[in-house]
Amino acid sequence: MADRIDTLVILGAGGDLTSRLLLPGLASYLASSRGAPLEIVGVDRDEVSDADWRSRVAAAFAEFPSANATKVAASTRYLQGDATDAHDLQRVLAEAEGRVALYFALPPAVTVLACTALATLDLPVGITFALEKPFGTDLASAHSLNRLLETMVPETQL
């Protein structure tokens, strides 16, 4: 399938949004008839071992158990990095395989900084950005972020 995501990179993996909403939602998808395994790479500033990250993912997946979820939880990785630092983002993207989706589990102001850093990089072909609402911190910043994103990837990849 052409739209299949091979690697999901979660920027802000240490946050509450990731634990309470994103990971359980992903487990629900993996348990569904449409679910397909993918690699998950968690990224945040805190130092976390792969084993601790895997444990956190497995706990969040427990609500929707499936063979896919078990496989994904067992192979997930964590990379320490700053989502606003172009060098760290380049390192993360270099370790992602196949078609990549970047999920911004970040506050709006940090998302803007991350996108500004990403705009300086050569992004992988077909990369998809997943951004949460609120988008920006006000109408003007939402327009500004939208204009920046338009220079980075086609709208179909947002």
Side-chain angles (χ1 to χ4, degrees):
M1 168 167 28
D3 292 345
R4 182 178 177 341
I5 298 298
D6 300 300
T7 303
L8 174 64
V9 175
I10 304 170
L11 301 176
D16 185 55
L17 171 66
T18 299
S19 294
R20 282 189 320 101
L21 300 174
L22 177 58
L23 291 175
L26 184 56
S28 175
Y29 160 74
L30 291 169
S32 76
S33 61
R34 299 184 73 179
L38 73 161
E39 179 183 10
I40 299 175
V41 178
V43 179
D44 214 323
R45 293 178 297 174
D46 293 334
E47 187 174 329
V48 175
S49 70
D50 280 341
D52 287 344
W53 171 246
R54 285 185 187 115
S55 179
R56 181 175 177 193
V57 171
F61 281 8
E63 186 176 345
F64 300 99
S66 70
N68 280 340
T70 300
K71 181 178 179 180
V72 170
S75 66
T76 187
R77 301 181 291 133
Y78 180 90
L79 298 174
Q80 184 177 8
D82 181 346
T84 67
D85 181 270
H87 180 265
D88 284 356
L89 291 167
Q90 184 64 56
R91 179 177 49 85
V92 168
L93 291 173
E95 293 200 27
E97 296 182 10
R99 186 151 185 253
V100 178
L102 279 182
Y103 190 99
F104 294 79
L106 302 166
V110 178
T111 295
V112 170
L113 296 174
C115 289
T116 302
L118 284 163
T120 68
L121 304 178
D122 289 327
L123 299 173
V125 173
I127 192 168
T128 297
F129 290 1
L131 294 107
E132 285 289 321
K133 292 180 181 178
F135 189 90
T137 55
D138 58 20
L139 184 59
S141 67
H143 284 300
S144 177
L145 178 55
N146 196 51
R147 282 191 298 278
L148 174 62
L149 291 169
E150 288 173 339
T151 68
M152 298 168 65
V153 295
E155 187 174 356
T156 57
Q157 291 170 224
L158 292 172

